[in-house]
Amino acid sequence: MERKISSKTIRRSLCIGAILFGGAASITSVMAEEYFNVVDGELQRPTGYREWVYVGTPVTPNDMNNGKAAFPEHHNVYIDPTSWSHWKKTGEFRDGTIIIKELVAVGSKAAVSGAGYFQGDFIGLEATIKSTSINPNEPGNWSYYSFSTPDHKSLTDTAKAFPAAACNACHAAAAADDFVFTQYYPVLRAGKGAGTLATGGHSSMLK
């Protein structure tokens, strides 16, 4: 039976190891903070992600896709803070990255400002993680999960990864950076390897 190990246990063990072999000063160089747990092959539903770094909200509405959009809802997308820090420093997604997509239905199409696509109710939650230990044989070491129930009225506590062919092929063919569609997220585009400039407000130039 596969042993259940949480990210807290991993962090605690690394801290102990760092103290025993290198002193407390070396903890930060050894300890890799994780924002997810995978137990018996299932991702535990992440919490607190609305306090992570928000990177954008794409939407491909049915109205613009002959009523057959593959993803007709808004996707509010967040990346964990440690991976954001790594991204703005190196321009790469670290081993241990998690990206959350909170699905929101298209609500009203009219507001005082004019016609548009405005957010309605929450209808689902999805996640993707990059992990060499969990996904050693997956393209880019990424795996994809959905916590959405079929009726889109609740969320499951855990989720199994989709088969690689269900997601990776599209990401490999069209994503701009390491299987991630950064071309649709200006926060990620502008932040790639940009350091302090990635945080906003430090430059007068918008392009």
Side-chain angles (χ1 to χ4, degrees), residues 112-157:
V112 293
S113 57
Y117 294 100
F118 303 96
Q119 295 195 11
D121 297 325
F122 294 114
I123 58 172
L125 184 71
E126 298 180 352
T128 178
I129 62 174
K130 181 179 178 72
S131 173
T132 54
S133 61
I134 296 171
N135 308 309
N137 301 315
E138 299 294 346
N141 305 120
W142 291 97
S143 53
Y144 306 84
Y145 307 82
S146 176
F147 298 93
S148 310
T149 56
D151 62 5
H152 293 284
K153 292 183 178 180
S154 60
L155 301 174
T156 59
D157 292 331

Side-chain angles (χ1 to χ4, degrees), residues 13-99:
S13 298
L14 287 172
C15 283
I16 294 172
I19 292 172
L20 290 176
F21 296 101
S26 65
I27 290 177
T28 54
S29 64
V30 178
M31 185 171 61
E33 184 174 11
E34 304 293 354
Y35 289 83
F36 58 84
N37 291 328
V38 174
V39 179
D40 293 337
E42 295 192 3
L43 178 64
Q44 311 300 292
R45 189 174 71 234
T47 59
Y49 52 83
R50 291 179 191 161
E51 296 186 1
W52 297 0
V53 178
Y54 167 75
V55 299
T57 302
V59 59
T60 52
N62 278 323
D63 294 0
M64 300 177 68
N65 293 278
N66 298 317
K68 299 179 181 179
F71 306 102
E73 64 282 319
H74 297 272
H75 292 174
N76 292 341
V77 179
Y78 305 84
I79 185 172
D80 73 85
T82 301
S83 296
W84 164 250
S85 295
H86 188 81
W87 172 257
K88 68 181 182 180
K89 180 180 180 180
T90 68
E92 298 178 348
F93 294 107
R94 73 181 182 105
D95 187 6
T97 295
I98 177 170
I99 298 173

